[in-house]
Each structure stands twice: as C-alpha cells, then as structure tokens.
Amino acid sequence: MNKAKKSGTTSALSEAEVNKRVDALLARMSLEEKVGQLNQVGGAEFAPGPKAEDQIRKGGAGSVLWLNDTKKFNELQKVAVEESPSGIPLLFALDVIHGYRTIFPVPLAMAASWDPNVPEKSQTVAAREARAAGLHWTFGPMLDICRDARWGRIVEGAGEDPFLGAAMAAAQVRGFQGDDLADSERVLACAKHFAGYGYSDAGRDYDPAYISETQLRNTVLPPFKAAVDAGVATFMSAYMDLNDVPASGNRWLLRQVLREEWGFEGFVVSDAFAVGNLVIQGHAKDRRDAALRGLKAGLNMDMSSYTYTENTADLVAKSDLSEAEIEALVRPILALKVRMGLFERPYVDEGLLDQVIARPDHREASRWAAQRSMVLLKNEGGLLPLKKDVKKVAVIGPLADSMQATEGSWMVFGHTPAAVTVLAGIRAKLPNAEVTYASGPEIRRDIPSWFESMMAGQASKPAQTQEESDAAFQAAVETARAADQVIMVLGETDLMAGEAASRASLDLPGRQEELLKAVAALGKPVVLVLLNGRPLSVTWAAENIPAILEAWEPGSEGGNAVADILFGDAIPGGKLPVGFPRKGSHAPLYYARNLTHSPEESPMYNPRYWDGLPTPLYPFGYGLSYTTFAFSDLKVSAAQVKVGSSLTVSVDVTNTGAVAGDEVVQLYIHQKWGTDTRPMRELKGFERITLQPGECKTVTFELGPDELGYWSTNAGKWIQDPASFDLWVGSDSLATLHAEFEVIG
Ligand code: BGC
C-alpha cells in the first residue's frame, strides 16, 4: 500500500507556492464569496435552491453537482471565471462510481477480483472519460465496510473485510487521481461515507449506526485511513447518526480522527442535504444551528442544503464563528483548485469526449475487469467450461437481455444503457449454434425506487398480470425444453441494490427460483449465471444446480465476459469479498467473529440457531477455478518474534490441474489471547497469482506490527500484545494449512 503521500498534496507545485496563491485569493474575497466556496449547488432539475447560474455569478458557489453536460460546464465556468467577483473556477462533481461511458463491474465485483490492478485500471479509464466530459471530481470510492447484505449499498463497496477494503480503497484513489493532481486525465477522488454508514441498524438504509470504538478503529476506518495514505483529495461525511451523533456534525470523526490523527489536508463535503438534515435528524435546533454545527465540526462544503450560504454571515456577525474559522475551511478548497491547474485551464475541449470514449482499450479494460471479477461458486462434474460445438442453447431469465442489469447500479445522469448483455455475449460466442431466449416472468421491487424516474429507459411500466406472468413462465420452460443446454440468468435488477435499495430477504426476487426449479426438472444440463449487486441466499440452487457463476453487475462488456468464462476463453479466478448467508435473517454474518464460550466445533456445541445452520452458504474468500491448486510447505521465518518486529510467511502453491488458472493465496491469523479478545480469523495478506499446469510458485507475506497490532478497548489505544498466534494459508477463509508463532515482549 502506498503510504508515502500526504492527503491532497500531490502536485508539481510546492506547498509554499500554493499557500501564497491561496493567501492572495483570500485577501481579495468578501465573506460572502468565501462562504460561496463552501457551497455546492445542484445543477439538476430536481435540485432545490436558487438557479445555479445566479449563485455562480455572485460568487456564491464553489462547486456544481448533478450536472452532466459538457457544453453547460463551459458556460457556467465562463460565468464563474469572467463574471463572478474574484473569478474563481468551479469544481464540477458527479458520481462516477464504476465508469463514465465505458462501464466497469460494480465496486463489489471489482473487490471480488482480489486484484488491486482491477479497480486501479478501471478507475483510471473512468477518470479519463469523466475528465474529458468536463468533470473534475467524483464522489468515489465508497469505502463502507458492510457485513449485512440486506443493506443495498453493499454493491458500492468492497465487502466485509477491512484488509481487502483498504487495498481496494488505495487502488481506487490511485486510479482516479494518479500521481499528480494537475494531470488533465484524472479527477479528484472522494472517500465516502465517513463513517459507519454500512452498519446501519438491520441493514435499513439511512438508519442509525451504533458501532463501538474498537469496531470503528479495527474494521470500519481502515479503508478510509488507506485512502488518506494514498493521497485522497476529499472526503464525504455520511448521512446517519453514529452513536447518536450525526456523521455530518461529528467533530470527533472530522477533526480528531481525520485531521489530527491522520493528517488529512484536503476538504470534506457533506452528503446530499446532510447539513440541513441535522434538523430533521433531531440534532440541530434549526438551520442556523445546523450550519454552525457543520462548520464547527470541520465540514468544509455543504452539498446543496444551502444552510451555509443562508446563515454564515449572521453566525460571523454575532460572533458564533470567526471569519478566520471560515477561511480555514475555504483554504483546502482553493488549494485543490490551484493544484489542479484550474485557474490556468478552467475549460474543457468540447470535442475531446468523443475521441476518448472511442478508445478500444477502454472496452478491452472493461471486459478484462469483468472476467477477473467473476466468481465460480459451483462446478459439479466439471460441467464448465461448456463446449462451443453445442447445437441448441436456451438463455433464460429476466436479466439475460437487460442492459441495465448488466451495467448495474449507479449510472451517471443521462447515461444511455449500452451493455453487451449475456444473451448478446453468448450469441457472439456461438455464431453457429441456435441460441434461443425467454425472459420468464418479470421481476420488480415491491416498492419502486425513486431513482427510476431519473434513469433513462426505465420509465415505470404497469406490472405483469398473473396471466402474463404465467404465460412468460410457460414460454421459458418450453424454450428450455427445446434446447440441449440451458443457461439461466437470474438475480436482481440494477435498482434492487444501491441507495435506498435495502431489502429484508436475500432470496431470488419474484418467481425466479420457481422457474429455476421448473427448468431443472426438465433434466437438461443447467448453468446458473447470477447478476446481482449483493450476496443472495441461493440455497436451493447451491444444492440442485450443477454450475453457478457469480457474474455480479459486470458492466459494458459483461455479456462477453460471461461468455468468455462459460466457454473457456477465460478462467474464473475471483473470490467472494463477502460471505453469502443461507438466509437474509442471518445477517449480519461475517467470518471475522470472536470465539465464544461454546465454540461451534466443541463437543458441547450449542447450535447458534435450531432452525438451520448459521454458517455461510459460501464463505468469505471462496471461489473455484477450472483447475485445482495445492498448498504446501508453509514456513514461518521464526517461531518467536518481538513486539514491533516482523516475520515472513511463505507457502508453495502448485497448479495440479490440466489448464492454466489464477489462485488468490490468502493468509489469516488468530491471536489466541490478549488484552482484548481477537477475531477467530482475520485476513492479513493476499496475492492473486497465475499458474500454468504443473507450475509451482512460492508466495511470501510479511507480518509486522501493522498486521499484528489492534485497537484495544481495555487499553483505549493501539497496542500489540505478546501472545500466541494461529496462522492459516489457503484458498478461502476456511483454509486449513496451519502454523503457529509467538510474539514476545
Ligand atoms: C449519496 C452519495 C452521493 C450523493 C451525490 C447521495 O444521495 O448518498 O453517495 O455521492 O448523493 O449524488
């Protein structure tokens, strides 16, 4: 992990030069203009507040969001630069989460690659396209650790684990920002949502989160810290209450942890309307009080609630705040604009985007990323890969030909779906076969998403009647009956995961399982391809369908990548970044639990539930290949190591099958006793390797104080205990190859 850079400071300009220019700007700005820099105005129809252009003209806006229009960017920038009092350029911001025009797999899928090159390369392309469109700043990466798959936004993060999450966080920051903030092919990144949003009660979006300091420090915050260490320019505060203090007014988070402890020097934007929401949340007395709490907490920019612009002059006039405090909040915003070179190059070339999106390497990168993200969950009897000389293939399911489901959640505003669907990918792969298709009954949310009206091509249609649904069901069964090979494409639509998309169950929605059972009963070979943005409890399928491929929401080239894997042109090598529970009611379920007085394997074993196994259907880190691997010769460099020192762990991994393939070598530890109780397993190292048949590689990991220390409740600080440790290396979180070592004082 890149730990060398200080947040928001990478650029060719020296700190002194930047400070000089910021001082000069501040010296000529009125208080109103300074507050304007703290204001982010909405450029979309639905956004409340005065017209963006009017605010910009009087110097009342530092940034514009929810606008995706290159020509308009230049028009508004011209108003800012030529007509506003101090001529300070705007930052144009948008959620570019997994691609701008070329869509990449959703972030949860990218994490499933267990290869930081995947998010880094993907976000490099996303940044290049977004910047060519005129955007300067994306609201990503989303770094919320989530252990409750009911929470819809699990799709935007890297899953359940802080170690994997930190690696993916740093990689995404590198991808978006590159090495130099003045690079005109990059955008500013934003680490969000700070912090604890993924822990909302029972996975209900926006509900409060109650998280102990030990969980925060050891599990929730590490990806954010990794983003700071990788030089992330901005942060976004979360919506919800964290231990009864809203994250957007949380001085402990925003001042003590982020700035004092971590040395973050960029700026923090609130989540949308979150400063004004401090009133709705029952925290601030009124909007003036909300502004005061946000500003005092160190929240630099108000995303479109206008509480800052409405109240700050009065707060300063009545001495609730000083102008110096306002200036301190404005400084990092101006500094980033200076470092990006926005004063020298405020406009975008309006012809650039067409050239950039035409680059063939962007589509190739998307296909590569999708292939590397997919996880083979089951392959009984080596059914996969399928043979290309198959005569009649039936592709069945409501997602098989859905561009939206293939691209997945969080498209930029105004995006027109343009993905290769699974059906299209299979047809392209098999030009000589007869490929038939039936969607089966439609699936839809019980309660529609408010994003529906905002997404192109998703205007709400009336729901299917029972007769229409039955007819679609029967047509799908008949289509399957006439084929030699059936490929079922089931899961969730793009709007079933994401913001405001939590659900209580993790079952396949609608009649999909019923259809799967009816098709399986035909006795044909059936492969199940899952398109979804969260773990699904596909318990029946896991027992009854011979081959299951988790394809996630794979992006523009998703259908081609699925076909590549199904027909053996690519070998699956992804691993689950989050365990799959057997039931939604088992959430939160995660591998890094503590032992209890009654370990599950003990003779006194008390089952955790009496109505079924509480273990995951598929564990964290799990995924198969078309080949097999053997782990041997596990070596630990020393039986004992002193507190503060490091040891080396090595293992030999051999491809024991007949084809080349990738394995993700994973290292887990368990501290057996200590000042606090530690989880029974924690991931502390991983590496994705490619091995030819028969090839053996030695993989080495280092374990030092960063991996062996932890935040202790009893000590109230970071510590490293002298204690004994178990260690396992293998292909998932149930790895059995074991060793031990001791840390001595
Ligand atoms: C979401 C953020 C997003 C912001 C701006 C909010 O509703 O929670 O993740 O960045 O809107 O679009």
Side-chain angles (χ1 to χ4, degrees):
M1 205 178 301
N2 181 351
K3 290 191 173 171
K5 290 179 217 158
K6 267 178 131 188
S7 57
T9 58
T10 45
S11 84
L13 291 172
S14 73
E15 202 157 332
E17 175 66 14
V18 174
N19 286 339
K20 210 169 119 200
R21 290 181 58 180
V22 170
D23 287 341
L25 286 166
L26 283 170
R28 67 172 198 244
M29 290 164 74
S30 65
L31 175 61
E32 194 190 358
E33 280 179 278
K34 288 173 196 163
V35 178
Q37 288 302 305
L38 307 180
N39 186 32
Q40 186 172 49
V41 307
E45 296 279 297
F46 65 81
K51 213 174 144 216
E53 192 176 324
D54 299 340
Q55 297 180 72
I56 295 164
R57 186 167 287 109
K58 60 177 193 193
S63 172
V64 175
L65 85 160
W66 298 322
L67 182 68
N68 187 17
D69 181 337
T70 305
K71 202 161 165 289
K72 190 89 184 150
F73 289 146
N74 277 342
E75 284 166 20
L76 292 179
Q77 194 69 299
K78 194 158 186 283
V79 175
V81 170
E82 294 184 11
E83 298 178 39
S84 80
S86 295
I88 298 168
L90 295 159
L91 281 173
F92 292 109
L94 199 66
D95 296 273
V96 180
I97 304 301
H98 55 114
Y100 178 80
R101 193 67 68 79
T102 309
I103 306 303
F104 286 82
V106 287
L108 187 66
M110 290 201 253
S113 72
W114 288 60
D115 174 5
N117 290 317
V118 168
E120 182 168 348
K121 282 194 184 155
S122 305
Q123 303 303 26
T124 299
V125 173
R128 187 181 298 128
E129 293 186 356
R131 192 65 193 266
L135 291 160
H136 304 121
W137 178 20
T138 180
F139 298 128
M142 191 278 226
L143 305 180
D144 298 312
I145 295 293
C146 177
R147 294 174 163 187
D148 189 333
R150 294 172 298 181
W151 191 53
R153 303 197 76 168
I154 192 170
V155 61
E156 296 171 56
E160 71 174 64
D161 186 74
F163 190 85
L164 181 65
M168 295 299 153
Q172 291 197 71
V173 172
R174 289 195 300 270
F176 283 130
Q177 293 190 175
D179 291 329
D180 181 357
L181 293 177
D183 183 340
S184 60
E185 294 198 340
R186 304 285 181 167
V187 293
L188 301 181
C190 181
K192 74 183 186 187
H193 306 86
F194 197 55
Y197 189 22
Y199 271 62
S200 61
D201 277 351
R204 288 184 297 265
D205 208 0
Y206 314 126
D207 266 8
Y210 291 93
I211 315 176
S212 68
E213 188 165 1
T214 181
Q215 282 172 307
L216 271 168
R217 300 270 192 186
N218 291 314
T219 309
V220 174
L221 297 182
F224 290 100
K225 172 69 164 58
V228 172
D229 292 339
V232 74
T234 74
F235 260 62
M236 183 187 292
S237 65
Y239 275 131
M240 68 320 125
D241 277 6
L242 171 63
N243 302 329
D244 291 340
V245 182
S248 295
N250 198 310
R251 288 187 205 193
W252 178 76
L253 272 178
L254 300 180
R255 288 207 185 272
Q256 185 181 319
V257 174
L258 182 58
R259 287 172 169 114
E260 286 161 32
E261 293 180 23
W262 296 352
F264 175 69
E265 292 176 354
F267 72 85
V268 184
V269 65
S270 74
D271 203 339
F273 320 120
V275 186
N277 288 357
L278 295 178
V279 181
I280 301 171
Q281 270 166 266
H283 189 66
K285 182 174 155 215
D286 51 26
R287 285 167 62 79
R288 185 183 185 281
D289 186 33
L292 181 62
R293 286 173 189 255
L295 292 161
K296 282 279 186 198
L299 184 66
N300 306 75
M301 192 177 275
D302 171 8
M303 189 188 284
S304 281
S305 84
Y306 302 105
T307 38
Y308 284 6
T309 43
E310 283 168 20
N311 297 291
T312 308
D314 185 61
L315 289 167
V316 173
K318 304 227 168 78
S319 301
D320 289 316
L321 267 172
S322 68
E323 190 156 345
E325 284 176 287
I326 301 299
E327 283 193 1
L329 293 168
V330 177
R331 271 184 173 278
I333 299 171
L334 294 177
L336 279 168
K337 291 182 178 183
V338 168
R339 287 185 189 283
M340 287 184 83
L342 280 193
F343 288 86
E344 293 76 25
R345 297 176 301 279
Y347 301 110
V348 59
D349 168 356
E350 289 174 24
L352 187 59
L353 180 62
D354 284 343
Q355 294 166 30
V356 168
I357 57 174
R359 285 176 60 152
D361 58 324
H362 288 195
R363 293 293 284 214
E364 283 158 23
S366 171
R367 188 166 176 163
W368 168 83
Q371 290 170 351
R372 287 183 82 75
S373 299
M374 290 178 192
V375 183
L376 182 62
L377 296 177
K378 190 175 174 193
N379 194 18
E380 210 171 75
L383 176 59
L384 293 175
L386 300 171
K387 298 216 169 46
K388 286 186 198 158
D389 60 4
V390 57
K391 297 271 171 320
K392 271 191 109 178
V393 179
V395 180
I396 312 268
L399 307 176
D401 200 27
S402 163
M403 288 193 187
Q404 284 95 341
T406 309
E407 287 182 338
S409 95
W410 255 135
M411 288 301 104
V412 295
F413 289 156
H415 175 79
T416 308
V420 177
T421 64
V422 175
L423 176 64
I426 291 171
R427 285 197 165 137
K429 186 67 77 186
L430 303 176
N432 302 319
E434 187 187 336
V435 180
T436 53
Y437 159 67
S439 69
E442 68 166 10
I443 53 171
R444 57 168 65 214
R445 292 170 47 136
D446 302 345
I447 300 170
S449 164
W450 53 264
F451 283 108
E452 230 164 85
S453 56
M454 290 154 83
M455 309 301 280
Q458 297 214 24
S460 25
K461 289 185 288 181
Q464 273 179 341
T465 61
Q466 189 61 45
E467 291 71 40
E468 287 166 341
S469 172
D470 289 346
F473 191 99
Q474 218 34 57
V477 174
E478 293 316 318
T479 305
R481 197 192 304 276
D484 310 321
Q485 172 67 53
V486 183
I487 298 170
M488 300 284 294
V489 187
L490 309 178
E492 291 189 338
T493 66
D494 51 317
L495 293 179
M496 287 179 174
E499 186 173 356
S502 295
R503 58 188 294 230
S505 150
L506 297 176
D507 295 348
L508 284 168
R511 300 178 68 184
Q512 294 183 98
E513 188 161 302
E514 188 190 340
L515 181 61
L516 185 63
K517 285 177 178 167
V519 169
L522 300 172
K524 311 268 173 186
V526 177
V527 174
L528 171 60
V529 175
L530 292 169
L531 293 191
N532 47 279
R534 61 150 60 80
L536 291 175
S537 47
V538 284
T539 312
W540 186 87
E543 281 163 16
N544 296 283
I545 301 297
I548 307 176
L549 178 68
E550 176 51 83
W552 310 106
E553 296 173 341
S556 300
E557 288 287 324
N560 282 332
V562 167
D564 291 340
I565 290 198
L566 294 183
F567 292 92
D569 290 334
I571 310 287
K575 302 276 183 172
L576 295 179
V578 53
F580 276 34
R582 292 169 197 272
K583 292 181 181 178
S585 54
H586 290 180
L589 183 69
Y590 50 96
Y591 81 93
R593 303 181 313 279
N594 287 7
L595 287 163
T596 74
H597 76 283
S598 173
E600 287 169 35
E601 64 276 14
S602 81
M604 293 290 292
Y605 170 48
N606 283 310
R608 297 294 184 263
Y609 297 124
W610 61 254
D611 58 351
L613 282 174
T615 51
L617 182 61
Y618 295 113
F620 174 79
Y622 171 82
L624 303 171
S625 170
Y626 292 158
T627 185
T628 47
F629 300 94
F631 290 75
S632 61
D633 214 10
L634 176 60
K635 286 193 197 119
V636 183
S637 62
Q640 289 190 329
V641 65
K642 281 207 163 116
V643 167
S645 302
S646 298
L647 50 82
T648 305
V649 178
S650 69
V651 67
D652 288 352
V653 187
T654 310
N655 181 343
T656 49
V659 291
D662 282 13
E663 179 59 293
V664 179
V665 186
Q666 302 165 41
L667 166 76
Y668 295 87
I669 62 164
H670 171 227
Q671 181 179 325
K672 295 196 201 176
W673 62 81
T675 308
D676 295 1
T677 310
R678 302 302 300 140
M680 58 172 115
R681 286 198 182 197
E682 290 179 281
L683 180 73
K684 292 295 177 184
F686 67 89
E687 190 177 338
R688 180 166 173 159
I689 56 169
T690 303
L691 292 174
Q692 299 304 314
E695 190 184 353
C696 173
K697 269 189 195 162
T698 304
V699 176
T700 307
F701 300 102
E702 202 172 278
L703 288 176
D706 282 353
E707 289 76 29
L708 301 175
Y710 65 97
W711 175 272
S712 155
T713 303
N714 264 333
K717 59 179 183 185
W718 290 100
I719 61 165
Q720 192 188 346
D721 284 326
S724 286
F725 285 76
D726 287 312
L727 173 157
W728 298 266
V729 176
S731 59
D732 60 40
S733 56
L734 303 180
T736 51
L737 191 59
H738 175 254
E740 287 176 64
F741 63 92
E742 199 182 346
V743 173
I744 51 172

